[in-house]
Amino acid sequence: MRPVVLLVGRLPDVVNTVARELEDLPIQWLGAHSREEVIAQLEAEPNIRSVVVGAGLDDAVRGDLVGVIASRRPDLCIHFKDRLSGPAGMAPFARRVVETEMLHWKVIDTA
């Protein structure tokens, strides 16, 4: 079973683009664009291993998501993308997160 990464972003197009750009990784990508969608994805998919949050969301929303995610899934790492790299930086950021965490997953999966 492939690990699942939840991509949270303001623009649906960015989430879809990131998933397409990173098809080469052995990851299942889920997307969410609001607090409610994040909650729904967390409740529906127990195999989520990490959350990547884009920079297009307002700081208050990003802060709220920390509480929402941590209260429901304290086992998850939450990664926040920088704003300077813009929407084009989301895929490279998500790739770095996944490639770093996949090393950990491999250790767990083979133990």
Side-chain angles (χ1 to χ4, degrees), residues 31-82:
H33 306 96
S34 67
R35 181 183 205 274
E36 294 74 22
E37 288 181 1
V38 168
I39 292 169
Q41 294 286 28
L42 292 173
E43 291 176 354
E45 180 53 69
N47 201 34
I48 293 173
R49 301 276 182 100
S50 190
V51 180
V52 176
V53 181
L57 298 169
D58 180 80
D59 283 340
V61 173
R62 287 164 54 117
D64 181 52
L65 288 175
V66 171
V68 166
I69 295 164
S71 68
R72 284 166 175 77
R73 291 288 307 274
D75 60 310
L76 294 179
C77 289
I78 307 167
H79 304 273
F80 289 88
K81 187 193 140 320
D82 69 287

Tab-separated table of all heavy atoms in Angstrom, residues 31-82:
chain	number	residue	atom	x	y	z
A	31	GLY	N	-6.071	15.850	-1.814
A	31	GLY	CA	-6.096	17.306	-1.740
A	31	GLY	C	-7.197	17.803	-0.836
A	31	GLY	O	-8.215	17.133	-0.634
A	32	ALA	N	-6.976	18.988	-0.302
A	32	ALA	CA	-7.990	19.670	0.501
A	32	ALA	C	-7.773	21.169	0.331
A	32	ALA	O	-6.645	21.626	0.130
A	32	ALA	CB	-7.888	19.278	1.962
A	33	HIS	N	-8.876	21.917	0.405
A	33	HIS	CA	-8.803	23.363	0.178
A	33	HIS	C	-9.437	24.170	1.298
A	33	HIS	O	-9.454	25.390	1.246
A	33	HIS	CB	-9.476	23.707	-1.154
A	33	HIS	CG	-8.911	22.916	-2.280
A	33	HIS	ND1	-9.503	21.748	-2.725
A	33	HIS	CD2	-7.789	23.067	-3.008
A	33	HIS	CE1	-8.762	21.239	-3.693
A	33	HIS	NE2	-7.727	22.009	-3.877
A	34	SER	N	-9.955	23.484	2.298
A	34	SER	CA	-10.605	24.177	3.410
A	34	SER	C	-10.467	23.340	4.680
A	34	SER	O	-10.111	22.157	4.627
A	34	SER	CB	-12.093	24.392	3.120
A	34	SER	OG	-12.767	23.138	3.100
A	35	ARG	N	-10.779	23.948	5.787
A	35	ARG	CA	-10.761	23.261	7.085
A	35	ARG	C	-11.652	22.013	7.043
A	35	ARG	O	-11.256	20.938	7.505
A	35	ARG	CB	-11.255	24.238	8.145
A	35	ARG	CG	-11.283	23.718	9.535
A	35	ARG	CD	-11.877	24.804	10.468
A	35	ARG	NE	-11.448	24.659	11.821
A	35	ARG	CZ	-12.041	23.879	12.712
A	35	ARG	NH1	-13.090	23.177	12.370
A	35	ARG	NH2	-11.586	23.804	13.952
A	36	GLU	N	-12.840	22.177	6.481
A	36	GLU	CA	-13.793	21.075	6.416
A	36	GLU	C	-13.265	19.923	5.572
A	36	GLU	O	-13.440	18.753	5.912
A	36	GLU	CB	-15.144	21.559	5.875
A	36	GLU	CG	-15.868	22.532	6.787
A	36	GLU	CD	-15.273	23.955	6.809
A	36	GLU	OE1	-14.566	24.346	5.837
A	36	GLU	OE2	-15.487	24.651	7.810
A	37	GLU	N	-12.616	20.247	4.449
A	37	GLU	CA	-12.056	19.197	3.595
A	37	GLU	C	-10.889	18.491	4.275
A	37	GLU	O	-10.720	17.283	4.120
A	37	GLU	CB	-11.621	19.776	2.249
A	37	GLU	CG	-12.783	20.144	1.350
A	37	GLU	CD	-12.334	20.693	0.007
A	37	GLU	OE1	-11.111	20.781	-0.250
A	37	GLU	OE2	-13.211	21.039	-0.788
A	38	VAL	N	-10.090	19.240	5.021
A	38	VAL	CA	-8.984	18.621	5.759
A	38	VAL	C	-9.538	17.618	6.759
A	38	VAL	O	-9.074	16.474	6.847
A	38	VAL	CB	-8.113	19.688	6.465
A	38	VAL	CG1	-7.157	19.047	7.462
A	38	VAL	CG2	-7.346	20.514	5.443
A	39	ILE	N	-10.547	18.026	7.510
A	39	ILE	CA	-11.169	17.135	8.494
A	39	ILE	C	-11.724	15.886	7.806
A	39	ILE	O	-11.504	14.763	8.267
A	39	ILE	CB	-12.271	17.870	9.283
A	39	ILE	CG1	-11.643	18.940	10.173
A	39	ILE	CG2	-13.107	16.895	10.103
A	39	ILE	CD1	-12.638	19.902	10.793
A	40	ALA	N	-12.422	16.075	6.709
A	40	ALA	CA	-13.011	14.943	5.986
A	40	ALA	C	-11.925	13.977	5.504
A	40	ALA	O	-12.082	12.751	5.625
A	40	ALA	CB	-13.847	15.441	4.809
A	41	GLN	N	-10.835	14.494	4.973
A	41	GLN	CA	-9.754	13.626	4.483
A	41	GLN	C	-9.091	12.880	5.636
A	41	GLN	O	-8.800	11.686	5.529
A	41	GLN	CB	-8.701	14.444	3.722
A	41	GLN	CG	-9.211	15.056	2.436
A	41	GLN	CD	-9.388	14.049	1.319
A	41	GLN	OE1	-9.638	12.879	1.532
A	41	GLN	NE2	-9.284	14.530	0.093
A	42	LEU	N	-8.862	13.573	6.748
A	42	LEU	CA	-8.234	12.921	7.902
A	42	LEU	C	-9.105	11.801	8.452
A	42	LEU	O	-8.598	10.763	8.886
A	42	LEU	CB	-7.944	13.939	9.008
A	42	LEU	CG	-6.866	14.970	8.698
A	42	LEU	CD1	-6.805	16.009	9.816
A	42	LEU	CD2	-5.516	14.323	8.498
A	43	GLU	N	-10.398	12.017	8.454
A	43	GLU	CA	-11.312	11.000	8.969
A	43	GLU	C	-11.504	9.837	7.994
A	43	GLU	O	-11.702	8.705	8.411
A	43	GLU	CB	-12.656	11.644	9.317
A	43	GLU	CG	-12.548	12.559	10.528
A	43	GLU	CD	-13.831	13.300	10.850
A	43	GLU	OE1	-14.818	13.211	10.071
A	43	GLU	OE2	-13.847	13.994	11.880
A	44	ALA	N	-11.420	10.125	6.708
A	44	ALA	CA	-11.683	9.096	5.694
A	44	ALA	C	-10.461	8.245	5.360
A	44	ALA	O	-10.610	7.099	4.936
A	44	ALA	CB	-12.212	9.746	4.416
A	45	GLU	N	-9.261	8.785	5.537
A	45	GLU	CA	-8.054	8.083	5.078
A	45	GLU	C	-7.056	7.873	6.224
A	45	GLU	O	-6.281	8.768	6.558
A	45	GLU	CB	-7.394	8.871	3.953
A	45	GLU	CG	-6.139	8.237	3.409
A	45	GLU	CD	-6.322	6.792	2.991
A	45	GLU	OE1	-7.024	6.541	1.999
A	45	GLU	OE2	-5.745	5.909	3.660
A	46	PRO	N	-7.058	6.693	6.819
A	46	PRO	CA	-6.147	6.438	7.941
A	46	PRO	C	-4.681	6.285	7.527
A	46	PRO	O	-3.797	6.327	8.378
A	46	PRO	CB	-6.677	5.125	8.531
A	46	PRO	CG	-7.382	4.455	7.399
A	46	PRO	CD	-7.945	5.560	6.554
A	47	ASN	N	-4.410	6.121	6.232
A	47	ASN	CA	-3.045	5.909	5.770
A	47	ASN	C	-2.303	7.213	5.453
A	47	ASN	O	-1.202	7.171	4.914
A	47	ASN	CB	-3.026	4.977	4.554
A	47	ASN	CG	-1.662	4.342	4.358
A	47	ASN	OD1	-0.951	4.047	5.308
A	47	ASN	ND2	-1.296	4.139	3.106
A	48	ILE	N	-2.888	8.358	5.781
A	48	ILE	CA	-2.168	9.623	5.585
A	48	ILE	C	-0.937	9.588	6.477
A	48	ILE	O	-1.024	9.307	7.674
A	48	ILE	CB	-3.061	10.839	5.909
A	48	ILE	CG1	-4.195	10.951	4.885
A	48	ILE	CG2	-2.221	12.126	5.920
A	48	ILE	CD1	-5.221	12.022	5.208
A	49	ARG	N	0.216	9.866	5.872
A	49	ARG	CA	1.483	9.841	6.614
A	49	ARG	C	2.054	11.225	6.861
A	49	ARG	O	2.914	11.391	7.722
A	49	ARG	CB	2.521	9.027	5.845
A	49	ARG	CG	2.132	7.609	5.571
A	49	ARG	CD	2.458	6.718	6.771
A	49	ARG	NE	2.127	5.339	6.482
A	49	ARG	CZ	3.016	4.423	6.126
A	49	ARG	NH1	4.273	4.719	6.018
A	49	ARG	NH2	2.616	3.191	5.878
A	50	SER	N	1.597	12.222	6.070
A	50	SER	CA	2.156	13.560	6.179
A	50	SER	C	1.193	14.563	5.556
A	50	SER	O	0.373	14.205	4.712
A	50	SER	CB	3.501	13.606	5.442
A	50	SER	OG	4.178	14.797	5.695
A	51	VAL	N	1.319	15.817	5.985
A	51	VAL	CA	0.497	16.895	5.441
A	51	VAL	C	1.422	18.000	4.943
A	51	VAL	O	2.347	18.417	5.653
A	51	VAL	CB	-0.462	17.468	6.515
A	51	VAL	CG1	-1.311	18.593	5.930
A	51	VAL	CG2	-1.344	16.372	7.094
A	52	VAL	N	1.182	18.470	3.729
A	52	VAL	CA	1.932	19.582	3.148
A	52	VAL	C	0.942	20.710	2.901
A	52	VAL	O	-0.044	20.526	2.186
A	52	VAL	CB	2.625	19.167	1.832
A	52	VAL	CG1	3.312	20.362	1.196
A	52	VAL	CG2	3.613	18.038	2.073
A	53	VAL	N	1.215	21.860	3.508
A	53	VAL	CA	0.312	23.002	3.429
A	53	VAL	C	0.962	24.087	2.583
A	53	VAL	O	2.097	24.502	2.849
A	53	VAL	CB	-0.016	23.556	4.838
A	53	VAL	CG1	-0.969	24.738	4.748
A	53	VAL	CG2	-0.598	22.459	5.726
A	54	GLY	N	0.220	24.553	1.580
A	54	GLY	CA	0.712	25.595	0.697
A	54	GLY	C	0.716	26.965	1.355
A	54	GLY	O	0.150	27.169	2.430
A	55	ALA	N	1.352	27.899	0.671
A	55	ALA	CA	1.527	29.238	1.215
A	55	ALA	C	0.397	30.191	0.854
A	55	ALA	O	0.333	31.301	1.375
A	55	ALA	CB	2.848	29.818	0.718
A	56	GLY	N	-0.518	29.763	-0.003
A	56	GLY	CA	-1.591	30.659	-0.438
A	56	GLY	C	-2.673	30.867	0.598
A	56	GLY	O	-3.472	31.792	0.487
A	57	LEU	N	-2.698	30.024	1.611
A	57	LEU	CA	-3.704	30.168	2.658
A	57	LEU	C	-3.314	31.286	3.621
A	57	LEU	O	-2.132	31.484	3.914
A	57	LEU	CB	-3.851	28.849	3.428
A	57	LEU	CG	-4.326	27.656	2.611
A	57	LEU	CD1	-4.159	26.376	3.409
A	57	LEU	CD2	-5.767	27.837	2.209
A	58	ASP	N	-4.309	31.969	4.123
A	58	ASP	CA	-4.107	33.029	5.104
A	58	ASP	C	-3.445	32.460	6.361
A	58	ASP	O	-3.665	31.301	6.716
A	58	ASP	CB	-5.485	33.622	5.430
A	58	ASP	CG	-5.410	34.725	6.441
A	58	ASP	OD1	-5.066	35.847	6.056
A	58	ASP	OD2	-5.689	34.441	7.621
A	59	ASP	N	-2.656	33.267	7.048
A	59	ASP	CA	-1.961	32.799	8.246
A	59	ASP	C	-2.919	32.291	9.320
A	59	ASP	O	-2.619	31.311	10.013
A	59	ASP	CB	-1.096	33.905	8.843
A	59	ASP	CG	0.189	34.119	8.068
A	59	ASP	OD1	0.598	33.203	7.318
A	59	ASP	OD2	0.800	35.196	8.212
A	60	ALA	N	-4.066	32.936	9.467
A	60	ALA	CA	-5.040	32.479	10.465
A	60	ALA	C	-5.552	31.079	10.112
A	60	ALA	O	-5.723	30.231	10.992
A	60	ALA	CB	-6.200	33.464	10.567
A	61	VAL	N	-5.771	30.828	8.834
A	61	VAL	CA	-6.234	29.509	8.385
A	61	VAL	C	-5.122	28.483	8.606
A	61	VAL	O	-5.374	27.380	9.112
A	61	VAL	CB	-6.654	29.545	6.898
A	61	VAL	CG1	-6.971	28.154	6.376
A	61	VAL	CG2	-7.845	30.468	6.717
A	62	ARG	N	-3.909	28.841	8.244
A	62	ARG	CA	-2.781	27.919	8.446
A	62	ARG	C	-2.622	27.569	9.919
A	62	ARG	O	-2.419	26.420	10.275
A	62	ARG	CB	-1.500	28.525	7.874
A	62	ARG	CG	-1.492	28.520	6.356
A	62	ARG	CD	-0.451	29.440	5.734
A	62	ARG	NE	0.907	29.278	6.160
A	62	ARG	CZ	1.920	28.910	5.392
A	62	ARG	NH1	1.704	28.627	4.111
A	62	ARG	NH2	3.136	28.834	5.859
A	63	GLY	N	-2.743	28.570	10.775
A	63	GLY	CA	-2.646	28.327	12.209
A	63	GLY	C	-3.760	27.430	12.712
A	63	GLY	O	-3.532	26.527	13.525
A	64	ASP	N	-4.964	27.667	12.228
A	64	ASP	CA	-6.111	26.843	12.616
A	64	ASP	C	-5.905	25.387	12.192
A	64	ASP	O	-6.258	24.461	12.920
A	64	ASP	CB	-7.392	27.410	12.002
A	64	ASP	CG	-8.622	26.614	12.375
A	64	ASP	OD1	-8.845	26.380	13.583
A	64	ASP	OD2	-9.363	26.213	11.455
A	65	LEU	N	-5.316	25.196	11.014
A	65	LEU	CA	-5.093	23.841	10.518
A	65	LEU	C	-4.152	23.047	11.416
A	65	LEU	O	-4.300	21.837	11.555
A	65	LEU	CB	-4.560	23.876	9.089
A	65	LEU	CG	-5.564	24.289	8.022
A	65	LEU	CD1	-4.880	24.410	6.667
A	65	LEU	CD2	-6.730	23.317	7.964
A	66	VAL	N	-3.192	23.727	12.043
A	66	VAL	CA	-2.297	23.032	12.961
A	66	VAL	C	-3.112	22.377	14.071
A	66	VAL	O	-2.946	21.192	14.370
A	66	VAL	CB	-1.245	23.990	13.564
A	66	VAL	CG1	-0.456	23.306	14.671
A	66	VAL	CG2	-0.316	24.509	12.486
A	67	GLY	N	-4.022	23.151	14.673
A	67	GLY	CA	-4.854	22.604	15.741
A	67	GLY	C	-5.772	21.502	15.266
A	67	GLY	O	-5.934	20.475	15.931
A	68	VAL	N	-6.376	21.703	14.098
A	68	VAL	CA	-7.294	20.712	13.530
A	68	VAL	C	-6.575	19.395	13.278
A	68	VAL	O	-7.044	18.325	13.665
A	68	VAL	CB	-7.925	21.249	12.220
A	68	VAL	CG1	-8.603	20.154	11.437
A	68	VAL	CG2	-8.888	22.377	12.516
A	69	ILE	N	-5.420	19.469	12.640
A	69	ILE	CA	-4.679	18.255	12.289
A	69	ILE	C	-4.108	17.597	13.542
A	69	ILE	O	-4.244	16.396	13.740
A	69	ILE	CB	-3.567	18.580	11.267
A	69	ILE	CG1	-4.184	19.063	9.947
A	69	ILE	CG2	-2.671	17.362	11.040
A	69	ILE	CD1	-3.213	19.763	9.016
A	70	ALA	N	-3.490	18.391	14.401
A	70	ALA	CA	-2.855	17.829	15.601
A	70	ALA	C	-3.861	17.196	16.547
A	70	ALA	O	-3.562	16.182	17.183
A	70	ALA	CB	-2.061	18.914	16.325
A	71	SER	N	-5.055	17.751	16.622
A	71	SER	CA	-6.042	17.176	17.534
A	71	SER	C	-6.613	15.857	17.017
A	71	SER	O	-6.976	14.989	17.798
A	71	SER	CB	-7.171	18.172	17.792
A	71	SER	OG	-7.935	18.380	16.622
A	72	ARG	N	-6.669	15.705	15.696
A	72	ARG	CA	-7.224	14.482	15.125
A	72	ARG	C	-6.167	13.428	14.828
A	72	ARG	O	-6.434	12.237	14.890
A	72	ARG	CB	-7.996	14.818	13.845
A	72	ARG	CG	-9.341	15.451	14.158
A	72	ARG	CD	-9.964	16.095	12.933
A	72	ARG	NE	-11.295	16.590	13.230
A	72	ARG	CZ	-11.534	17.710	13.896
A	72	ARG	NH1	-10.539	18.449	14.341
A	72	ARG	NH2	-12.788	18.107	14.118
A	73	ARG	N	-4.981	13.876	14.437
A	73	ARG	CA	-3.910	12.958	14.057
A	73	ARG	C	-2.573	13.456	14.613
A	73	ARG	O	-1.726	13.984	13.888
A	73	ARG	CB	-3.843	12.858	12.530
A	73	ARG	CG	-5.012	12.166	11.854
A	73	ARG	CD	-5.030	10.658	12.086
A	73	ARG	NE	-3.768	10.024	11.727
A	73	ARG	CZ	-3.461	9.623	10.499
A	73	ARG	NH1	-4.338	9.738	9.521
A	73	ARG	NH2	-2.293	9.073	10.252
A	74	PRO	N	-2.345	13.301	15.918
A	74	PRO	CA	-1.095	13.781	16.511
A	74	PRO	C	0.147	13.052	15.995
A	74	PRO	O	1.275	13.471	16.267
A	74	PRO	CB	-1.293	13.546	18.011
A	74	PRO	CG	-2.377	12.548	18.121
A	74	PRO	CD	-3.229	12.690	16.892
A	75	ASP	N	-0.041	11.991	15.231
A	75	ASP	CA	1.069	11.235	14.664
A	75	ASP	C	1.624	11.848	13.381
A	75	ASP	O	2.670	11.421	12.907
A	75	ASP	CB	0.626	9.800	14.361
A	75	ASP	CG	-0.534	9.744	13.374
A	75	ASP	OD1	-1.535	10.460	13.584
A	75	ASP	OD2	-0.441	8.984	12.393
A	76	LEU	N	0.945	12.845	12.832
A	76	LEU	CA	1.344	13.394	11.535
A	76	LEU	C	2.309	14.561	11.664
A	76	LEU	O	2.185	15.391	12.558
A	76	LEU	CB	0.116	13.879	10.763
A	76	LEU	CG	-0.874	12.816	10.336
A	76	LEU	CD1	-2.048	13.447	9.613
A	76	LEU	CD2	-0.204	11.761	9.474
A	77	CYS	N	3.238	14.626	10.709
A	77	CYS	CA	4.074	15.816	10.550
A	77	CYS	C	3.335	16.772	9.623
A	77	CYS	O	2.723	16.348	8.637
A	77	CYS	CB	5.417	15.467	9.929
A	77	CYS	SG	6.488	14.554	11.040
A	78	ILE	N	3.406	18.061	9.934
A	78	ILE	CA	2.764	19.092	9.123
A	78	ILE	C	3.883	19.974	8.583
A	78	ILE	O	4.690	20.505	9.353
A	78	ILE	CB	1.783	19.935	9.963
A	78	ILE	CG1	0.794	19.042	10.693
A	78	ILE	CG2	1.070	20.950	9.069
A	78	ILE	CD1	-0.002	19.755	11.775
A	79	HIS	N	3.925	20.119	7.268
A	79	HIS	CA	4.977	20.897	6.610
A	79	HIS	C	4.353	22.109	5.933
A	79	HIS	O	3.420	21.958	5.134
A	79	HIS	CB	5.690	20.035	5.574
A	79	HIS	CG	6.245	18.775	6.149
A	79	HIS	ND1	7.484	18.714	6.722
A	79	HIS	CD2	5.705	17.538	6.270
A	79	HIS	CE1	7.699	17.483	7.157
A	79	HIS	NE2	6.628	16.753	6.895
A	80	PHE	N	4.887	23.302	6.225
A	80	PHE	CA	4.375	24.539	5.653
A	80	PHE	C	5.353	25.082	4.629
A	80	PHE	O	6.520	25.331	4.939
A	80	PHE	CB	4.141	25.586	6.745
A	80	PHE	CG	2.980	25.251	7.625
A	80	PHE	CD1	3.143	24.470	8.752
A	80	PHE	CD2	1.712	25.702	7.303
A	80	PHE	CE1	2.072	24.145	9.552
A	80	PHE	CE2	0.624	25.375	8.098
A	80	PHE	CZ	0.803	24.604	9.230
A	81	LYS	N	4.848	25.267	3.405
A	81	LYS	CA	5.665	25.799	2.320
A	81	LYS	C	5.891	27.295	2.528
A	81	LYS	O	5.028	27.999	3.025
A	81	LYS	CB	4.969	25.563	0.979
A	81	LYS	CG	5.816	25.928	-0.220
A	81	LYS	CD	4.942	25.962	-1.452
A	81	LYS	CE	5.217	27.065	-2.400
A	81	LYS	NZ	5.510	28.370	-1.893
A	82	ASP	N	7.068	27.763	2.119
A	82	ASP	CA	7.378	29.186	2.170
A	82	ASP	C	6.556	29.966	1.147
A	82	ASP	O	6.023	29.384	0.200
A	82	ASP	CB	8.864	29.404	1.879
A	82	ASP	CG	9.174	29.082	0.424
A	82	ASP	OD1	9.179	27.891	0.060
A	82	ASP	OD2	9.378	30.029	-0.359
